[in-house]
Amino acid sequence: MKPAGDLFYMKRCLELAMKGAGKVSPNPMVGSVVVHDGEVIGEGFHEHYGGPHAEVNAIASVVDKSRLRHSTLYVNLEPCSHFGKTPPCSDLIIETGIPRVVTGCRDPHAAVAGKGIAKLLAAGISVIEGVLEEESMKLNEAFIKYHTTGLPFVSLKLAQTLDGKIATSSGASRWITGKESRTEVHRLRARYDAVMAGEATVRLDNALLTVRNIEGRNPVRIVVDRRLCLSAEAAVFGPEAPTIVFASRDCRFLPQAESLEKMGVDVVFVNDHAEGLDLREVLEELHRRNILSVLVEGGSRLAASFIHKKLADKLYMFIAPKLFGADALSSFAPLGITMPEQALDLCFETPKFFGKDILLESYIRY
């Protein structure tokens, strides 16, 4: 088979894998294709957490199992080699007699990490690695960071006007962008494990931080409330989704903490420094709770803190064709938090348009 064929089928694996977005975490998104003599005879993807893996679904979809002994299995992530929620996929591949496997990238999970490839090779299976490796790693960037750094993948979402303002002088920030952009934000929320906002943003907007107007799961809601100032009546404490509040250890014995806990709100106390809560400690706690990805939606102080501590990985910048004027609040107005001495290395991808608004996406390099 020509290399171009491998690229074509791996691209299809990535397309299939995306169907599991927002449904499989803390597992990775994986798609698989079985090809016999240039014909696709089976496809599958990991559909939901705890369910069969992509390779299992792809093999199960093959009508004539005898053809497997002369087929190639494509999968964007190394087949697992351990018993988890399901048996090892590498064992199934060996049992079916598939002679050739093409993978996108290795699985960084400590229980796999090359062991799946090694098991296939030991069984005499031809393994081709690294086909569309960069694209495969990008698809599961949250899963990879989680298992290689011990921290979740963090994205910042900001909406601003053409003159770089995120709120009026009174602090009002709702509906800077149009309906189409707001719908896209809900799609983003559905793909992330958690959505985070500061107390002031939640209070000013009475934010729900849920997924609406589209189909998708609600993320875990995280509120950074240093002094436990937010009212227990706030919408974010409703029953639509679980909520975690992070506050200073100095607030452990405040009556507000007890009131929230009685409501079923999880209150976590972390170290407090002059510039605010210890965000690395916050992320480490989220990692312990199997939260792979966090979308930070506000406000500017919180976003600036993540950048200052070099804890943010990606930026979503929505720009609306509006002007707020000189007295309005600017993006990353950090209220005393200094930004890194070196300029952030941003390389924006191709702009996307939602109604009259523009979305710019970039990874953050420090």
Side-chain angles (χ1 to χ4, degrees):
M1 184 180 292
K2 296 180 180 179
D6 288 346
L7 294 173
F8 176 83
Y9 296 121
M10 188 57 68
K11 183 178 179 181
R12 177 58 181 161
C13 288
L14 295 172
E15 292 172 351
L16 290 168
M18 269 300 297
K19 294 183 178 183
K23 302 173 184 176
V24 301
S25 184
N27 283 350
M29 293 174 282
V30 185
S32 183
V33 176
V34 182
V35 178
H36 177 270
D37 196 22
E39 176 190 357
V40 174
I41 62 173
E43 289 187 340
F45 67 98
H46 187 30
E47 299 178 11
H48 59 87
Y49 177 67
H53 288 186
E55 302 96 314
V56 175
N57 288 330
I59 291 171
S61 72
V62 176
V63 176
D64 183 357
K65 297 296 191 290
S66 68
R67 301 176 75 183
L68 291 171
R69 294 189 174 274
H70 306 280
S71 298
T72 296
L73 182 139
Y74 294 85
V75 61
N76 59 287
L77 190 71
E78 173 185 3
C80 65
S81 56
H82 67 295
F83 282 89
K85 293 281 185 181
T86 59
C89 292
S90 54
D91 288 356
L92 175 64
I93 295 169
I94 294 169
E95 291 168 8
T96 57
I98 293 173
R100 184 173 185 263
V101 173
V102 179
T103 67
C105 66
R106 291 206 172 191
D107 187 333
H109 193 294
V112 187
K115 299 181 182 71
I117 298 294
K119 185 178 285 190
L120 295 177
L121 290 171
I125 295 174
S126 172
V127 179
I128 307 299
E129 295 188 69
V131 176
L132 294 184
E133 183 175 34
E134 183 177 346
E135 293 86 345
S136 296
M137 294 181 70
K138 181 177 179 180
L139 177 70
N140 281 304
E141 57 196 5
F143 178 80
I144 291 172
K145 185 187 177 187
Y146 178 90
H147 285 286
T148 56
T149 69
L151 296 174
F153 187 89
V154 177
S155 292
L156 309 178
K157 190 277 294 182
L158 290 174
Q160 68 171 44
T161 60
L162 284 175
D163 53 346
K165 310 301 181 181
I166 62 170
T168 64
S169 56
S170 65
S173 62
R174 297 193 76 179
W175 314 151
I176 287 179
T177 54
K179 180 180 178 181
E180 295 87 348
S181 292
R182 297 196 296 272
T183 298
E184 178 62 16
V185 170
H186 285 269
R187 291 194 188 96
L188 286 175
R189 286 181 185 173
R191 294 207 300 264
Y192 279 76
D193 291 343
V195 58
M196 178 186 292
E199 174 272 332
T201 297
V202 173
R203 173 170 44 82
L204 289 170
D205 295 344
N206 197 24
L208 274 169
L209 299 181
T210 56
V211 172
R212 302 182 298 281
N213 304 322
I214 66 162
E215 290 187 9
R217 65 168 183 174
N218 284 323
V220 175
R221 301 177 293 195
I222 302 168
V223 180
V224 178
D225 189 359
R226 186 180 186 183
R227 299 300 177 196
L228 286 182
C229 299
L230 198 60
S231 168
E233 303 300 319
V236 76
F237 298 133
E240 298 84 1
T243 302
I244 305 172
V245 174
F246 283 92
S248 168
R249 294 190 190 279
D250 297 337
C251 299
R252 292 193 302 275
F253 306 110
L254 292 180
Q256 296 97 307
E258 183 178 358
S259 297
L260 290 174
E261 288 170 346
K262 286 182 178 179
M263 293 169 54
V265 177
D266 199 350
V267 183
V268 181
F269 302 100
V270 297
N271 289 321
D272 189 7
H273 307 296
E275 66 272 19
L277 296 184
D278 188 327
L279 293 179
R280 176 171 285 274
E281 189 177 348
V282 169
L283 294 180
E284 289 171 348
E285 176 60 27
L286 295 179
H287 181 274
R288 284 191 286 271
R289 294 168 182 249
N290 286 331
I291 291 177
L292 274 63
S293 57
V294 180
L295 180 65
V296 181
E297 291 204 29
S300 62
R301 181 185 177 90
L302 187 59
S305 295
F306 271 103
I307 291 176
H308 177 65
K309 298 297 182 182
K310 299 183 179 181
L311 294 172
D313 301 292
K314 192 172 184 178
L315 173 66
Y316 296 98
M317 177 71 77
F318 289 86
I319 302 176
K322 298 178 181 178
L323 299 173
F324 274 180
D327 293 333
L329 301 179
S330 298
S331 297
F332 298 119
L335 301 177
I337 295 178
T338 57
M339 298 295 282
E341 292 182 3
Q342 290 183 321
L344 294 178
D345 183 7
L346 299 178
C347 184
F348 289 105
E349 299 178 2
T350 302
K352 299 176 183 177
F353 294 87
F354 297 93
K356 296 180 180 180
D357 305 325
I358 299 174
L359 170 60
L360 299 177
E361 298 180 32
S362 176
Y363 291 97
I364 301 175
R365 310 299 181 198
Y366 299 98

